[in-house]
């Protein structure tokens, strides 16, 4: 097992990784920008190295600074968390070239899944159902119009290098196509430095359902069930639950087995998530995330499996140690992402936390680096906490979530807690009756 792990991230996920390491007897190294000197994970880690100024490109995305910090402190492995360098194949390769272990899949798998066109081709070849769409990138307006006609409107134009819902545009007919194609390319170029786009059938009322998998270096693969992440705003997840209210045990087993067999065919290792859209009983692959997901705690709640611990064990060469039939699913888990944002306009609201009280009790987990007096820096993502509840039934989980939200106090900055408070009272949500567009309508209705 590793003796020392460097955590190449910040915020709640850096703390989450530190906690797993501590419980495994592994020493931790925090790296941080000058804006994060007072962060909780920096305080708790065994060692901390400042790697640069606030701007992420100069600190959390600064490969050389992170590798130097790892070398100086003698770390054996680097955990990248999510975001930042977690899906950067070059970084994973550099970590290996420096004689350390990247806690994640191989650089080749990261590269394959990082380009959405090659990812879709690989998924299809591995037996996963995909959304009907263009074969490759759409480089001319003529191609865009031809494909629009062939796929059938409405279509969605998506960035090959996409992430975080950026560079996505809907075209409802040929007239809209010209503008949508240009805008998607420009947005993709600005966000990812790569303007390549492709096209998919735009599904009208799907749910977003993703399968969590774990694979070791010796060919064993298990799935840990699904997460329903349909509640989104601007293609960003807001609240997630596991299991999905839309699936029964047979459907779960079927899609889980399909996912495992695809992962085995791909020779993938470590944790990963296969994302699908689900409509009229059919699954359609959209992408694979080759890293830990923000919403991983709901899977941990229903399976009792510590995903970060598993990632570290697998990276250290340990076998999975259990088979699919030994994975047990229990109860219902729900996660609310709490952002420092105006709950009406969603404008980020960084600042000082004047008062803080986190909820607790049976089945309640809060993953957050917040404390009273902490100053949320303005340079990073606005998610400041995740509230996760677990209950024996969905009803119990909902009652518990309402109770926990009611206890949560975050003073000094605006947060999205009021949005979650309203959401958990809504009858559609309570009935599990929602698709990926539902939350946008809910937000409009409540503004
Ligand atoms: P990103 O990597 O930018 O997050 P994804 O491919 O994962 O992009 O898609 C993000 C979200 O966009 C999905 O969860 C879904 O809400 C929506 N979406 C993606 N593809 C389609 C599609 N073909 N039809 C309708 N909605 C889609």
């Amino acid at each position: 097992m590793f003796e020392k792990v460097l955590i190449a991230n910040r915020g709640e996920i850096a703390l989450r990784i530190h906690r797993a390491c501590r419980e495994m007897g592994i020493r931790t190294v925090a790296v941080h920008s000058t804006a994060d000197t007072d962060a909780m994970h920096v305080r708790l880690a065994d060692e901390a190295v400042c790697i640069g100024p606030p701007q992420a490109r100069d600190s959390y995305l600064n490969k050389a600074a992170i590798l130097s910090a790892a070398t100086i402190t003698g770390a054996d492995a680097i955990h990248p968390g999510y975001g930042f360098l977690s899906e950067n194949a070059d970084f994973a390769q550099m970590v290996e070239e420096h004689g350390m272990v990247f806690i994640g899949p191989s650089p080749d798998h990261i590269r394959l899944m990082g380009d959405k066109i090659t990812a879709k081709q690989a998924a299809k070849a591995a037996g996963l159902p995909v959304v009907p769409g263009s074969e490759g990138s759409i480089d001319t307006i003529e191609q865009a119009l031809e494909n629009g006609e062939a796929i059938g409107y409405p279509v969605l134009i998506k960035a090959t290098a996409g992430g975080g819902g950026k560079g996505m545009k809907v075209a409802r007919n040929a007239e809209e196509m010209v503008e949508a194609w240009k805008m998607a390319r420009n947005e993709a170029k600005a966000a990812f430095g790569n303007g390549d786009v492709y096209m998919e059938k735009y599904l009208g009322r799907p749910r977003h359902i993703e399968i969590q998998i774990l694979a070791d270096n010796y060919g064993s693969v298990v799935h840990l069930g699904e997460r329903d992440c349909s509640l989104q705003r601007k293609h960003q997840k807001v609240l997630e639950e596991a299991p999905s209210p839309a699936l029964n045990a047979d459907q779960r087993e079927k899609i889980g087995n399909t996912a495992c067999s695809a992962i085995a065919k791909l020779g993938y290792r470590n944790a990963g998530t296969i994302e699908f859209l689900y409509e009229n009983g059919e699954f359609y692959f959209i992408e694979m995330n080759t890293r830990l997901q923000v919403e991983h705690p709901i899977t941990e709640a229903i399976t009792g499996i510590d995903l970060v611990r598993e990632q570290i064990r697998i990276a250290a060469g340990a076998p999975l140690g259990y088979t699919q039939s030994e994975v047990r699913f229990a109860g219902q888990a729900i996660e609310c992402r709490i952002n420092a944002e105006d709950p009406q306009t969603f404008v980020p609201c960084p600042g000082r936390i004047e008062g803080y009280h986190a909820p607790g009790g049976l089945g309640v987990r809060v993953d957050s680096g917040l404390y009273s007096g902490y100053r949320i820096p303005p340079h990073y993502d606005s998610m400041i906490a995740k509230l996760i509840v677990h209950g024996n039934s969905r009803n119990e989980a909902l009652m518990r979530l309402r109770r926990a939200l009611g206890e949560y106090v975050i003073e000094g900055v605006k947060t999205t807690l009021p949005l979650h408070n309203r959401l958990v009272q809504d009858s559609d949500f309570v009935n599990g009756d929602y698709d990926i567009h539902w939350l946008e309508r809910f937000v409009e209705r409540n503004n």
Side-chain angles (χ1 to χ4, degrees):
M1 189 41 70
F2 307 124
E3 286 185 7
K4 199 187 266 189
V5 167
L6 180 137
I7 303 163
N9 216 299
R10 64 177 301 282
E12 66 86 20
I13 199 63
L15 189 55
R16 166 73 188 89
I17 298 162
H18 164 81
R19 286 172 170 156
C21 290
R22 191 40 76 79
E23 290 176 14
M24 297 173 82
I26 300 170
R27 295 177 66 75
T28 55
V29 181
V31 290
H32 64 92
S33 73
T34 50
D36 276 338
T37 311
D38 295 327
M40 187 55 86
H41 77 278
V42 176
R43 293 184 175 195
L44 292 182
D46 294 296
E47 290 168 73
V49 182
C50 181
I51 47 165
Q55 258 62 38
R57 65 167 182 278
D58 300 321
S59 50
Y60 298 104
L61 291 171
N62 185 341
K63 301 186 190 87
I66 294 170
L67 288 166
S68 305
T71 307
I72 294 163
T73 54
D76 323 290
I78 298 186
H79 196 307
Y82 53 68
F84 295 125
L85 294 170
S86 61
E87 288 176 298
N88 188 307
D90 293 342
F91 179 66
Q93 200 163 329
M94 285 164 85
V95 173
E96 287 182 357
E97 283 163 5
H98 280 72
M100 291 174 278
V101 176
F102 179 80
I103 301 175
S106 71
D108 286 345
H109 282 117
I110 300 176
R111 209 166 272 127
L112 179 71
M113 293 301 168
D115 177 305
K116 295 209 178 181
I117 293 177
T118 57
K120 225 172 142 179
Q121 286 163 349
K124 203 171 167 184
L128 295 174
V130 300
V131 191
S134 62
E135 285 298 329
S137 70
I138 307 274
D139 306 323
T140 64
I141 188 63
E142 289 75 28
Q143 271 181 331
L145 291 166
E146 268 167 36
N147 274 277
E149 216 51 57
I151 298 164
Y153 290 101
V155 298
L156 187 63
I157 306 162
K158 298 170 79 171
T160 315
K166 292 199 191 82
M168 257 189 244
K169 290 282 171 264
V170 182
R172 298 190 186 275
N173 49 49
E175 290 75 62
E176 281 185 23
M177 178 62 89
V178 182
E179 194 60 18
W181 177 76
K182 275 193 207 145
M183 275 170 68
R185 278 175 66 94
N186 289 343
E187 218 177 284
K189 179 93 181 111
F192 313 111
N194 172 357
D196 286 353
V197 295
Y198 65 109
M199 208 181 279
E200 271 177 2
K201 176 89 192 151
Y202 181 69
L203 302 179
R205 291 208 55 191
R207 298 180 84 109
H208 173 120
I209 295 182
E210 57 185 35
I211 309 289
Q212 174 71 53
I213 62 93
L214 282 176
D216 68 14
N217 301 347
Y218 314 102
S220 291
V221 185
V222 295
H223 73 82
L224 303 184
E226 81 281 9
R227 293 183 287 259
D228 194 318
C229 312
S230 303
L231 292 173
Q232 304 180 355
R233 198 189 146 262
K234 296 208 184 303
H235 304 298
Q236 298 261 35
K237 298 163 189 169
V238 172
L239 178 151
E240 304 95 345
E241 62 178 316
S244 168
L247 292 193
N248 61 35
D250 285 349
Q251 291 166 312
R252 174 166 309 115
E253 191 181 318
K254 193 159 166 255
I255 190 64
N257 291 342
T258 308
C260 286
S261 109
I263 289 298
K265 273 191 201 134
L266 288 162
Y268 184 89
R269 59 152 210 255
N270 215 287
T273 297
I274 308 185
E275 296 191 337
F276 296 95
L277 293 178
Y278 176 75
E279 191 175 62
N280 300 328
E282 301 289 337
F283 284 94
Y284 303 95
F285 169 91
I286 46 171
E287 69 163 339
M288 175 161 182
N289 290 319
T290 54
R291 55 167 167 83
L292 188 67
Q293 304 265 114
V294 174
E295 60 275 20
H296 75 276
I298 54 175
T299 299
E300 298 185 322
I302 62 162
T303 60
I305 293 174
D306 179 333
L307 276 163
V308 178
R309 183 188 181 94
E310 293 305 280
Q311 286 192 295
I312 296 171
R313 284 184 60 249
I314 291 168
L320 215 45
Y322 43 88
T323 59
Q324 188 64 53
S325 62
E326 289 169 302
V327 176
R328 294 264 171 263
F329 298 100
Q332 187 78 23
I334 308 175
E335 172 184 275
C336 295
R337 297 191 188 197
I338 297 156
N339 294 351
E341 287 172 3
D342 182 302
Q344 230 98 48
T345 61
F346 299 97
V347 173
C349 185
R352 188 171 184 273
I353 303 292
E354 302 296 345
Y356 186 72
H357 174 77
L362 183 65
V364 176
R365 165 175 171 182
V366 175
D367 276 19
S368 173
L370 289 191
Y371 56 88
S372 194
Y374 173 69
R375 195 173 283 281
I376 303 165
H379 316 281
Y380 313 106
D381 191 83
S382 57
M383 195 185 74
I384 48 169
K386 304 187 308 205
L387 169 61
I388 304 107
V389 298
H390 182 229
N392 289 315
S393 63
R394 190 161 183 274
N395 193 39
E396 190 176 283
L398 284 171
M399 299 290 279
R400 188 158 282 158
L401 181 56
R402 288 189 200 112
R403 189 271 288 171
L405 282 167
E407 285 178 23
Y408 212 154
V409 179
I410 304 176
E411 286 171 349
V413 298
K414 288 183 187 167
T415 75
T416 50
L417 275 171
L419 169 74
H420 288 292
N421 267 314
R422 283 203 311 272
L423 189 53
V424 294
Q425 304 294 343
D426 185 275
S427 61
D428 285 349
F429 172 65
V430 169
N431 294 328
D433 187 13
Y434 54 79
D435 60 45
I436 59 167
H437 306 298
W438 184 89
L439 187 71
E440 298 270 7
R441 293 194 297 267
F442 173 83
V443 168
E444 268 174 35
R445 267 205 312 276
N446 282 278
N447 266 359

